[in-house]
Amino acid sequence: MTLQEIFQAENTIMLLERSIMAKEGPLKVAQTRLECRTWRPNVELCRDAPQFK
């Protein structure tokens, strides 16, 4: 029974790690776009709905 609980915990950890890795790509894209919107040279700072979501 203890081995089964350890296996389930390890399986849960593995699934969480996979979920985190799957979300890293879209997060990097969103951060890059936000950075580009914030530091556009010679353009007024854009503060609209996408900026605040």
Side-chain angles (χ1 to χ4, degrees):
M1 185 170 194
T2 304
L3 291 174
Q4 184 179 10
E5 289 177 3
I6 291 171
F7 175 76
Q8 288 175 346
E10 289 175 346
N11 193 26
T12 302
I13 291 169
M14 182 182 62
L15 291 174
L16 287 171
E17 288 173 346
R18 284 186 186 170
S19 296
I20 291 169
M21 288 175 61
K23 294 183 186 319
E24 282 181 352
L27 178 62
K28 287 180 184 178
V29 170
Q31 288 175 336
T32 302
R33 288 181 180 169
L34 179 61
E35 184 72 19
C36 289
R37 289 175 64 87
T38 304
W39 299 106
R40 293 185 295 178
N42 301 322
V43 178
E44 212 174 290
L45 182 60
C46 182
R47 294 189 182 271
D48 55 2
Q51 174 82 20
F52 295 111
K53 287 189 177 188

